[in-house]
Amino acid sequence: MRKSSALLLRLFASLLHLYPSGFREEFAEEMQVVFADGISESRERGSLALGSFFLRELADLPGNLLREHWFELLGRETVMYAKLKMGADLAGGASLRDDDYQPASWLQAGLAGLPHLLVALILLPGVLMAYGLLPGFQSAWNVLGIVWAVCLGLMTLGILIYVWRKGWPRWGASWYVYAVMLAVGGLLAVFQFGESTLGDVILGILLFALFPIGMAIFFYLVARKDHIKGLLLALPFMAIFWFVFLEFVSNRLELLLTLLAFLFSGLVALVIVRLGDWKLGIWLALGLTLISGLGASFAYFYHVEYPPGVNFSPPPANLSSFADFYFPQLLGSTTLILGPLLLWWLWQLGKRSGHMGVLGYNLIFIGMLLILMSNIGNFWLVTQSQLWVYRRYAGSGFAYGGLLGILLVITGSLLLVLAAWYNQTIQSRFMLAWLVLSSLSMPWVFVLIYVAFGMPNSWVATIEPYKFLVYGAGILWVTLTSWLVTHLDLQLSWAGG
Amino acid sequence: MNAIHDPQEDLPLTESTFFILLSLAPKPKHGYAIIKEVEVLSGERVRLSTGTLYGALKRLLGKGWIKRFNQSGDDETGRERKSYTLTNYGRYVLNADIDRLQKMVNTAQKFSMGGQR
């Protein structure tokens, strides 16, 4: 073999290391043989043919790498796809994904819980100091705390590179949100925000429209392909979601509750990955936001400490105010867990229910995406004080975006119900009834989430007398939806096959 | 399997997928033979790189349209190579796409010759 050919072969073998590990293990050896065949044949036709062959391989490489990493990142698409396409018998109760969700090792489970536990660890000295258990540590902590946070940031980057090299293992999803936060935090630290220049407007559109849409689609795609990865993505939000409202709560209680929320998030992530059980994971994640929310709402009303000079009238500390704060936020946070999985379920239903079913699903998909985007956008708006200059119009935009989403969901749901009924795709009358109930209750469940962010006052006044009914419907909706998405295999017939 | 999936949902096939499946229709082939056959079948329009071929093969394996096996003495060196063959379902999908294309061509020919619908 000529020197140049040997060199090209070595170069190709090195480039194969850029592929995800799973792909590499399965195909690298074969690819090298095929490449060697190509080199050998091209060389016989001259240097030009050899160069042209190698350039073609090189030109295709970036696209191929991106595609393979994308498929790896999204989980076990091909396995699940194969089972669907080969006509797995859903009516018989055979689970689509049971084989794909295996228990992980303690190490992998620990790595899934680690980012949340590290955040809890960072908060621990602050809590101890706030309760007077670490006297004289404050000045040292001012330096150590920063060093610790920087270490966590670097560790997140290191882990991301590691999970990329390992082919995006499931536990890595726990770190994605921290990586995004790190990137966006860096962006926010660099830019100054205002309302005047074109640059500000472009940045505003990026942050309030494109970024939430991108996040929502990413959430959906990841959760649809791998439910556990989807849950791991949502978990940090279950902890953070509530504690952005605790700015005026006594410092030590705020720190303690935040620490506990991250601690529980870490434990929940660990348990989900260790057991490989996404169905249990849904209930654990819902329990996490339920309990975190109770603690945060209690502190919000009963342990407020305004600093001197703050002129603000707090809402009265009674059950009604408590409910107004707790339930809408609770329902909002659950959309991050249930939204993507519900869509997955509806897709299964839609594609078995003919063209009208697919149309219904598509309308629901766009509607849910708008709702999810509005929730993420609102979260973003509330958590980043630098962005409050945009609050007036961005808040209204999210409110009406959310409402449009609700209308699309209702229309799509009704179409889907009709298509499922006509095609006899759902065996269970109970499930058909749930779809109707869901269509009717969705607007009332989610409308309250947007009240604080730009809903007209007259609308709020209309809803006020019925709000406990609405909250009850919301909780019922969450419970039924959770049950539904965990019983996919029992509810659909294979009539469309 | 209690039900056969309707292949129409997978159609139309992409050009690369179509030619890869078509190249495997007469007999099993290893990777490089597939690349060469696809070039011939497509009149040298479709030239698959190694990475593109194996990305496509991975997904076709995942969908259950092809399967892989070890074939010894397949080439002049007599060494054992991984080869690929169509599954029954893969052949079913390929035939469905050929049928679809055939109907399109028939319609186009009728329309262009006589202007009839």
Side-chain angles (χ1 to χ4, degrees):
Chain A
M1 185 180 288
R2 285 185 192 169
K3 219 174 182 178
S4 58
S5 302
L7 188 70
L8 290 178
L9 278 173
R10 274 209 299 277
L11 185 59
F12 184 74
S14 310
L15 289 172
L16 288 177
H17 287 284
L18 297 173
Y19 279 97
S21 60
F23 184 89
R24 217 166 49 232
E25 281 161 20
E26 193 173 357
F27 295 111
E29 202 178 317
E30 270 185 76
M31 287 172 78
Q32 289 184 63
V33 174
V34 167
F35 183 80
D37 285 344
I39 288 279
S40 170
E41 193 190 301
S42 305
R43 202 182 55 213
E44 286 170 13
R45 289 191 280 125
S47 306
L48 197 64
L50 182 63
S52 151
F53 170 78
F54 187 70
L55 281 179
R56 192 168 70 233
E57 291 286 335
L58 217 55
D60 278 359
L61 185 71
N64 291 330
L65 286 177
L66 272 177
R67 194 164 45 241
E68 296 313 322
H69 279 288
W70 179 242
F71 281 122
E72 286 286 326
L73 179 69
L74 293 184
R76 298 160 186 270
E77 193 234 24
T78 49
V79 177
M80 290 161 65
Y81 188 69
K83 288 181 179 177
L84 270 177
K85 297 295 179 194
M86 295 304 286
D89 184 9
L90 300 179
S95 171
L96 269 178
R97 291 167 293 277
D98 276 359
D99 298 343
D100 301 328
Y101 293 102
Q102 297 292 331
S105 67
W106 278 108
L107 177 66
Q108 289 167 325
L111 285 167
L114 190 61
H116 317 309
L117 296 176
L118 284 175
V119 174
L121 205 59
I122 286 179
L123 293 168
L124 183 62
V127 174
L128 293 176
M129 281 186 285
Y131 282 89
L133 297 173
L134 270 182
F137 190 66
Q138 186 62 53
S139 54
W141 181 241
N142 288 342
V143 179
L144 279 178
I146 295 169
V147 173
W148 203 330
V150 170
C151 285
L152 181 61
L154 290 174
M155 186 188 279
T156 305
L157 285 178
I159 293 272
L160 263 196
I161 294 170
Y162 180 74
V163 295
W164 167 56
R165 299 293 302 140
K166 287 288 173 187
W168 307 104
R170 181 172 282 153
W171 60 264
S174 275
W175 295 80
Y176 298 167
V177 173
Y178 289 94
V180 171
M181 283 181 182
L182 204 66
V184 178
L187 186 77
L188 293 176
V190 169
F191 287 98
Q192 295 295 316
F193 296 94
E195 284 182 300
S196 51
T197 67
L198 182 64
D200 291 333
V201 174
I202 292 172
L203 199 61
I205 292 170
L206 278 173
L207 283 171
F208 289 118
L210 299 185
F211 179 70
I213 287 174
M215 283 287 282
I217 291 174
F218 183 67
F219 250 76
Y220 171 64
L221 289 177
V222 171
R224 196 182 78 167
K225 305 297 180 194
D226 187 328
H227 300 344
I228 288 184
K229 277 189 175 177
L231 284 171
L232 292 179
L233 277 183
L235 275 180
F237 287 98
M238 299 307 105
I240 301 165
F241 196 87
W242 296 95
F243 297 100
V244 295
F245 302 101
L246 300 186
E247 194 176 351
F248 296 122
V249 168
S250 76
N251 194 35
R252 62 186 195 174
L253 189 60
E254 179 186 357
L255 280 169
L256 178 64
L257 287 172
T258 311
L259 181 148
L260 288 175
F262 277 102
L263 182 65
F264 289 140
S265 298
L267 294 176
V268 168
L270 188 147
V271 169
I272 293 174
V273 173
R274 173 69 184 143
L275 298 179
D277 187 342
W278 64 273
K279 296 178 182 179
L280 175 69
I282 284 180
W283 296 106
L284 287 176
L286 289 174
L288 177 68
T289 190
L290 195 87
I291 293 169
S292 302
L294 274 178
S297 305
F298 182 77
Y300 182 76
F301 284 103
Y302 295 101
H303 289 273
V304 184
E305 285 179 5
Y306 290 104
V310 172
N311 184 19
F312 179 69
S313 305
N318 57 33
L319 186 62
S320 178
S321 302
F322 184 91
D324 290 346
F325 179 79
Y326 180 61
F327 285 107
Q329 309 300 335
L330 179 69
L331 296 171
S333 66
T334 57
T335 55
L336 294 180
I337 301 169
L338 295 176
L341 293 173
L342 177 63
L343 276 175
W344 166 246
W345 189 91
L346 293 174
W347 166 239
Q348 302 301 316
L349 180 61
K351 71 177 185 178
R352 288 164 179 75
S353 305
H355 292 302
M356 192 157 76
V358 172
L359 174 66
Y361 164 78
N362 284 328
L363 290 180
I364 295 172
F365 175 74
I366 297 167
M368 290 287 274
L369 215 56
L370 277 172
I371 292 172
L372 202 60
M373 182 200 80
S374 299
N375 280 341
I376 294 174
N378 273 325
F379 170 79
W380 205 236
L381 192 64
V382 172
T383 51
Q384 301 298 327
S385 57
Q386 302 99 309
L387 305 182
W388 285 359
V389 289
Y390 298 114
R391 189 167 184 157
R392 182 166 43 84
Y393 55 86
S396 299
F398 288 135
Y400 290 109
L403 278 179
L404 177 64
I406 286 165
L407 287 176
L408 290 175
V409 169
I410 295 171
T411 313
S413 299
L414 290 174
L415 279 179
L416 198 54
V417 168
L418 281 174
W421 171 74
Y422 181 75
N423 290 289
Q424 297 182 325
T425 320
I426 291 187
Q427 298 290 309
S428 159
R429 285 181 186 168
F430 171 73
M431 296 317 301
L432 266 178
W434 175 86
L435 272 176
V436 177
L437 175 72
S438 173
S439 311
L440 297 177
S441 64
M442 276 282 281
W444 303 104
V445 169
F446 288 100
V447 81
L448 286 182
I449 297 167
Y450 305 103
V451 166
F453 304 105
M455 194 67 71
N457 285 337
S458 57
W459 293 28
V460 180
T462 310
I463 297 167
E464 179 68 21
Y466 310 105
K467 66 181 184 187
F468 279 100
L469 202 63
V470 174
Y471 297 149
I475 297 300
L476 184 67
W477 186 88
V478 167
T479 313
L480 280 175
T481 307
S482 308
W483 184 86
L484 177 86
V485 296
T486 52
H487 289 78
L488 165 73
D489 45 344
L490 298 178
Q491 300 305 327
L492 297 176
S493 75
W494 192 248
Chain B
M1 195 188 309
N2 294 340
I4 297 293
H5 175 71
D6 182 359
Q8 296 300 327
E9 281 189 28
D10 294 307
L11 305 184
L13 300 174
T14 63
E15 195 172 24
S16 303
T17 303
F18 177 81
F19 281 121
I20 290 172
L21 293 179
L22 192 61
S23 73
L24 296 175
K27 62 172 188 175
K29 288 185 179 61
H30 59 69
Y32 193 64
I34 296 174
I35 290 179
K36 298 310 291 176
E37 186 76 0
V38 166
E39 264 189 48
V40 171
L41 288 171
S42 67
E44 301 202 340
R45 266 187 319 104
V46 180
R47 293 185 170 189
L48 299 170
S49 67
T50 313
T52 307
L53 172 71
Y54 279 92
L57 290 178
K58 179 179 163 67
R59 274 172 277 289
L60 293 175
L61 283 167
K63 289 176 179 181
W65 295 2
I66 61 172
K67 59 186 175 190
R68 182 171 36 179
F69 64 100
N70 286 324
Q71 193 170 34
S72 55
D74 187 51
D75 61 5
E76 66 278 4
T77 63
R79 62 192 161 173
E80 187 177 88
R81 297 186 72 154
K82 295 263 191 320
S83 291
Y84 297 85
T85 185
L86 284 182
T87 61
N88 287 338
Y89 187 72
R91 194 174 292 279
Y92 183 48
V93 173
L94 175 65
N95 288 336
D97 204 40
I98 292 172
D99 191 39
R100 183 188 65 85
L101 291 168
Q102 187 68 56
K103 280 177 184 161
M104 277 175 66
V105 171
N106 288 344
T107 307
Q109 280 176 338
K110 274 185 203 165
F111 188 71
S112 63
M113 282 191 295
Q116 297 168 353
R117 288 173 195 273

